[in-house]
Amino acid sequence: MNADRTAGSSPQLPVLAGPGRLRAGIVNLAGLIGAGGVAAWLGNAMAAGRSATAVTWVGLASVFTAIAAEPGFGILLWLMLAPFGQLFRLALGRGLPDLGLNRLAAAFVLFLLITQVATGRRRLPRLTPLDGAAVLFVLAMLLAVPSSHLGWVGGLQNVFDFAILPLLMYYFARNLLGKPHRLRWAPVAVAVIGLALGFIAVREQLTHQPILSPTIYSWSYGRYSIRITSLFGAPAIMSLSLALTLPAIFVGAARSRTAAARVLWSVALAVAAAGVLLTYVRAGWLAAVSGLAVAIAFSRPARRYALLVLPVVLVVALLLGGGLIDSRAIQERLESEGPITYRLEALQVGLQIARSAPIFGVGLDNYAAAAVAAGWAPRGSSGQLAVAPHNLFIYVLTSAGLLGLLPLLAILGLAAWRAFTLWRLGSRRPDIDRDLLAVVLAMLASYTAFAFTFDSLGAQFANLLLFAVVGAVLGEHDHVTGRRIR
């Protein structure tokens, strides 16, 4: 009877044997001691007025714990905290480079991947042409370091922070984020980022009070607007970062299944769009329109949602045109011809510099010195030299020549082509998410449009965001279709 009763009872969780229970107890005890020690240290740090140090360690510990527990969600947490990286910076002093959130998180994820591969817990996907283009691009930028005015240390830091890190993010996302149960949270993370950045940009434009600005001065576009310096120090970086979030938020709102969810997505969309508008960066306006146009063209839900949003856009346009909203700042920016003339001259000078060293370039970040040597020395309102290419492709061409430019074009082109071919295949394959592929195409279009007017390689967070989404979406569909990225 006992046997029958045992057989008919509900299944029980297995009970650890003696040694197993002992090991679990030791681990739990160590965890409690560690948590208690951390709590005590943080309490002492905050009581002693070292709250900044406490915040730094709490943020870094949170990201590392999330990555170790669930790498995909850890990467998303890393992305959401990355704009606030100044809060999570460890200054080593003695001339050593600081250890910020991005550097430490990338090193930790790389260590985790290597460990999993070495222990047989993970198999890495095959290398692809896109991966090959990324390696060639990094090598070309490294070859440009010896002749750079930044020196060896500064040049290597520059290449790592602005070329290697975003491409590592692509690889991390492709391997760790490109799974269905993780990928569905990526648009939510992008929406949170857009909402936060949009709120900060709008607040600064209205109050003239920057948040975590790396600069100690404020700029003005004219009589009616300021240049946003919160978080990134430059309005162009804020504008590009916000513009990249719009396609994902727009498609997320279009795919909402409940009224409450659609309201939340729409609020995030409105705040992010307002942020783009009030940065008063015309390239950001162009990038936002380009990205949304591509998303609407390639996503059926986005087209339906656009019909709902169109009346709101028309009302805003009427308010602007009717004078109920002060549109002088927008008019001032639209009528400004100086930046356009400057960029055309920078383009001509850049092509002239490139002709002197077409293969290898003149050295990493040496555009300014080469331009002045060529006789182009424009000055800003303060009277100081203001020489910059304001063009990603010219910056790379002059820094690393065709050896750097061609792989960069290949990276963007291969990612767009793979997303497009998968999108076309999705008409016959229900397991392919065409809307997410539309987001990838839209973000690439937005990024490329902006890159013609700004050296977007310097927008580290925008690049991390772009390549995280591209890697996650293409990685998931690479797994679904069983085909390599071409």
Side-chain angles (χ1 to χ4, degrees), residues 162-409:
F162 301 113
I164 296 177
L165 263 179
L167 296 173
L168 280 177
M169 176 62 83
Y170 160 79
Y171 196 70
F172 295 157
R174 182 185 170 204
N175 282 277
L176 301 173
L177 192 55
K179 298 293 185 293
H181 68 286
R182 299 169 181 168
L183 186 58
R184 65 172 176 263
W185 288 104
V188 177
V190 174
V192 172
I193 292 169
L195 180 64
L197 297 186
F199 174 79
I200 290 172
V202 171
R203 179 187 180 277
E204 182 179 355
Q205 190 61 246
L206 297 180
T207 66
H208 296 188
Q209 296 177 355
I211 296 176
L212 294 177
S213 174
T215 63
I216 58 174
Y217 51 84
S218 60
W219 300 339
S220 173
Y221 272 124
R223 296 177 58 189
Y224 308 108
S225 63
I226 65 169
R227 299 188 181 190
I228 302 299
T229 62
S230 290
L231 301 180
F232 308 114
I237 300 178
M238 175 67 84
S239 185
L240 174 57
S241 301
L242 280 167
L244 289 176
T245 67
L246 291 180
I249 302 175
F250 195 91
V251 172
R255 301 206 321 175
S256 299
R257 297 181 180 179
T258 64
R262 177 159 292 186
V263 168
L264 292 175
W265 281 99
S266 298
V267 168
L269 177 65
V271 174
V276 173
L277 177 65
L278 294 183
T279 56
Y280 293 113
V281 176
R282 288 175 291 185
W285 299 347
L286 174 62
V289 172
S290 301
L292 290 176
V294 172
I296 292 170
F298 284 87
S299 171
R300 184 176 299 174
R303 289 194 291 273
R304 293 195 297 265
Y305 182 65
L307 295 177
L308 298 175
V309 174
L310 183 60
V312 178
V313 176
L314 292 176
V315 169
V316 172
L318 290 173
L319 292 176
L320 289 172
L324 296 180
I325 297 177
D326 189 352
S327 60
R328 290 176 296 180
I330 296 177
Q331 183 178 355
E332 184 179 59
R333 291 298 295 141
L334 291 175
E335 293 177 351
S336 177
E337 298 181 359
I340 298 176
T341 302
Y342 179 96
R343 282 165 171 77
L344 291 176
E345 292 177 356
L347 174 62
Q348 294 174 355
V349 173
L351 293 175
Q352 179 182 342
I353 295 171
R355 282 195 292 270
S356 66
I359 305 300
F360 296 98
V362 296
L364 180 67
D365 202 52
N366 282 351
Y367 174 92
V372 172
W376 189 60
R379 295 185 179 274
S381 57
S382 62
Q384 297 180 339
L385 279 175
V387 184
H390 283 293
N391 185 306
L392 168 64
F393 308 107
I394 291 298
Y395 177 84
V396 173
L397 180 62
T398 55
S399 292
L402 291 174
L403 286 180
L405 180 61
L406 293 179
L408 173 63
L409 295 175

Side-chain angles (χ1 to χ4, degrees), residues 429-444:
R429 293 279 299 270
D431 54 347
I432 291 178
D433 193 328
R434 302 182 84 196
D435 295 329
L436 288 180
L437 293 166
V439 169
V440 169
L441 291 170
M443 292 181 70
L444 288 169

